[in-house]
Amino acid sequence: MKLLCLSNGHGEDAIALRILRELQQHPHPPELDVFPLVGEGQAFAQLENARIIGPVQRMPSGGFIYMDGREFLRDVKGGLLQLTLAQFKAIRAWVRSQQQSGNQDGVILACGDIVPLLFAWLGGAPYAFVGTAKSEYYLRDEEGPLAGKSRAFGWWGCPRSVYLPWERWLMTRSRCRAVFARDALTAETLQKLGIPAYNLGNPMMDGLEPENPAGFYGPDAEFREMERSLVITLLPGSRAPEAYANWLLIVEAVAGILSLFADRKLLFFGAISPELNLEALRPSLEFFGWRQDGEIRTQRREGSILRPPVSSAQEIRKESPNLLLPLTFVQRNATMILTQQSFNDCLYEADLAIAMAGTATEQFVGLGKPAIAIPGNGPQFTPAFAEAQSRLLGPSLILVKHPAEVAAAVQSLLRDPDRLQLIAENGWRRMGEPGAAARIAECLIQRFGGESSTSQSPTIH
């Protein structure tokens, strides 16, 4: 089997990469080609023996044209239409080359939204679709339609699915062998509409294991839990300059938390994208009274910044004397660590998050934890995006209007253990169990006629 993977965005590239890696680990791995339709597909450089089959180009919008018509016009001026036509021709040429060489096993895996799905259909080969962008939770939950949300789709009233009729048409073609929905609710809805949909989990939740799991269990576990800091992870997003503006709002919210929790030890982890400059975050911290602790600014790959229970940078150093810390700041009863590594640990060790991000917020919620979101000015994390994300994630995402409201939201959460349990179960249900990429890879091998190590389609238990 020879497989061409189409994807259209940074997050979609990352999900596709996880699936393709699992395919390469199969006893009978397919030959792989890739085609990132948005951006330059740098993630695929990590994949061995997989070539990019056609032209790629970074557009001015960075892939957020669906959020702003002006961004779309900028992309058009930047060559979007010419690029799209050239990409379509490259896909058709790939399919023809498979047919002319006598290879009847050429297939396409589309990862993202309607764009790669449409290209897969137009390509003329059998295809499968990983639907990363849409979920029924945008319209309904297990109890039924969300109040006022389903009617937002206009003249056809409450739609049968979050996927529009033309998207569903592409999924019901005979050459579409499998649709991998991002959650059980979406898969069940598509199955009722005659679509070969599978609920195998969300690859977003793969690979999030902590580098150094905390050893909370032991004879003094209860005492340590009472004594430890309240840990809050800060997720400002990854795209400059928006992330810097988001960071200012987050630091303002943190100031309120310091005031309300003046008698409790606090630890903040700033999970900062490697694409951003840590030094650019310093002025807002200093404005709100934070001062840098020590002069240790070097980072390295090995090890973790986390050794809970932890309450200060000094304790971290005591637990791990050979560890070089990222930027560390202190103020009163609180420590803040900004890191561009140990992302998984930042998610796992936190009790909650203040989040103005896309994928990172979903991953955090998927670990069963609450996130508090403050709408920003965009272009990504706008009030409309935040509202849609709150529908997607349900009670796990608490949406506030202003940074000043965050501290009270934190206090309300900590006072309600039943609500925290509901949030945990909700996050696990909506985002699924780890291991989705391996299950999807196994199903692809089965659906496209390859040999399999199991006799039945993989399922979520």
Side-chain angles (χ1 to χ4, degrees):
M1 181 171 76
K2 191 159 187 177
L3 183 143
L4 170 62
C5 180
L6 310 177
S7 56
N8 68 324
H10 176 75
E12 291 79 0
D13 292 350
I15 288 173
L17 177 64
R18 293 187 182 111
I19 297 170
L20 297 181
R21 279 176 167 166
E22 293 294 340
L23 282 170
Q24 288 187 328
Q25 297 299 314
H26 194 271
H28 304 279
E31 296 180 49
L32 299 179
D33 287 325
V34 297
F35 200 3
L37 304 175
V38 173
E40 298 173 344
Q42 295 175 346
F44 295 116
Q46 306 171 44
L47 199 64
E48 295 183 2
N49 303 319
R51 67 183 180 97
I52 295 177
I53 67 159
V56 296
Q57 181 180 340
R58 184 183 297 274
M59 286 286 126
S61 73
F64 293 118
I65 60 174
Y66 62 93
M67 298 177 190
D68 191 333
R70 291 170 297 181
E71 297 285 345
F72 174 71
L73 292 177
R74 289 177 61 204
D75 282 4
V76 169
K77 293 178 181 178
L80 175 63
L81 299 182
Q82 296 91 324
L83 177 66
T84 301
L85 179 59
Q87 290 176 332
F88 167 67
K89 290 180 178 179
I91 294 168
R92 290 287 293 171
W94 184 89
V95 174
R96 281 197 304 270
S97 71
Q98 303 308 306
Q99 296 169 343
Q100 291 170 359
S101 65
N103 179 10
Q104 301 301 315
D105 295 327
V107 300
I108 298 176
L109 175 64
C111 186
D113 57 21
I114 190 173
V115 175
L117 176 60
L118 177 62
F119 276 18
W121 174 71
L122 291 172
Y127 59 94
F129 176 54
V130 181
T132 64
K134 289 193 172 184
S135 167
E136 289 301 315
Y137 283 113
Y138 283 120
L139 296 181
R140 55 178 64 84
D141 58 20
E142 288 79 6
E143 302 301 319
L146 302 180
K149 301 307 178 186
S150 299
R151 291 190 294 274
F153 273 67
W155 54 266
W156 58 74
C158 181
R160 301 173 70 188
S161 167
V162 70
Y163 282 102
L164 300 173
W166 43 91
E167 294 172 310
R168 301 200 301 269
W169 186 86
L170 293 170
M171 297 180 202
T172 56
R173 301 306 88 196
S174 60
R175 284 189 286 111
C176 182
R177 305 294 173 79
V179 172
F180 302 105
R182 57 173 288 151
D183 51 62
L185 184 64
T186 306
E188 291 168 5
T189 301
L190 294 177
Q191 289 166 0
K192 292 176 182 177
L193 296 172
I195 292 168
Y198 292 83
N199 170 37
L200 301 182
N202 191 332
M204 238 184 250
M205 299 308 299
D206 290 358
L208 292 181
E209 295 78 13
E211 296 178 27
N212 290 271
F216 280 117
Y217 301 103
D220 61 342
E222 183 176 355
F223 173 77
R224 288 191 289 140
E225 176 64 19
M226 294 173 60
E227 289 295 310
R228 75 177 183 90
S229 301
L230 173 64
V231 184
I232 301 176
T233 287
L234 312 177
L235 301 170
S238 59
R239 189 173 185 244
E242 179 181 1
Y244 298 128
N246 291 347
W247 179 251
L248 184 59
L249 295 176
I250 289 173
V251 174
E252 183 180 346
V254 167
I257 294 173
L258 263 62
S259 297
L260 190 59
F261 292 86
D263 58 346
R264 181 162 185 180
K265 291 183 293 187
L266 301 169
L267 177 60
F268 298 93
F269 290 134
I272 310 303
S273 166
E275 304 291 325
L276 302 177
N277 182 355
L278 283 183
E279 288 295 330
L281 308 180
R282 180 192 299 274
S284 55
L285 289 172
E286 293 177 344
F287 178 82
F288 281 96
W290 293 88
R291 68 183 187 278
Q292 187 169 353
D293 180 55
E295 295 299 325
I296 300 175
R297 303 187 186 185
T298 307
Q299 298 194 59
R300 66 180 185 184
R301 290 290 176 187
E302 54 272 17
S304 168
I305 60 169
L306 309 171
R307 294 291 189 279
V310 109
S311 62
S312 70
Q314 287 77 15
E315 287 190 26
I316 298 175
R317 289 194 188 92
K318 183 178 179 181
E319 292 288 332
S320 305
N322 297 322
L323 189 63
L324 300 181
L325 287 176
L327 289 182
T328 304
F329 296 83
V330 294
Q331 181 180 176
R332 295 185 303 196
N333 56 320
T335 298
M336 182 181 293
I337 300 174
L338 307 187
T339 179
Q340 291 176 299
Q341 58 189 53
S342 301
F343 173 74
N344 293 4
D345 288 333
C346 287
L347 298 189
Y348 263 90
E349 303 304 338
D351 299 296
L352 58 101
I354 304 174
M356 299 180 69
T359 300
T361 303
E362 295 175 36
Q363 291 172 319
F364 187 85
V365 163
L367 295 176
K369 303 180 182 188
I372 301 171
I374 315 163
N377 295 319
Q380 182 190 22
F381 205 78
T382 61
F385 182 97
E387 190 275 335
Q389 191 180 57
S390 71
R391 284 184 274 130
L392 174 67
L393 300 177
S396 297
L397 186 70
I398 297 93
L399 195 58
V400 301
K401 293 182 178 180
H402 305 288
E405 300 174 10
V406 170
V410 172
Q411 186 178 61
S412 176
L413 280 169
L414 298 180
R415 288 177 172 176
D416 194 343
D418 291 339
R419 184 183 177 193
L420 289 173
Q421 180 61 31
L422 181 149
I423 284 171
E425 294 171 356
N426 175 75
W428 298 329
R429 180 173 63 252
R430 295 196 184 214
M431 293 301 298
E433 300 174 6
R439 292 187 290 268
I440 291 172
E442 179 67 28
C443 187
L444 286 170
I445 295 291
Q446 294 179 29
R447 293 297 296 163
F448 288 118
E451 296 185 32
S452 171
S453 58
T454 60
S455 58
Q456 298 181 349
S457 295
T459 56
I460 293 267
H461 297 289

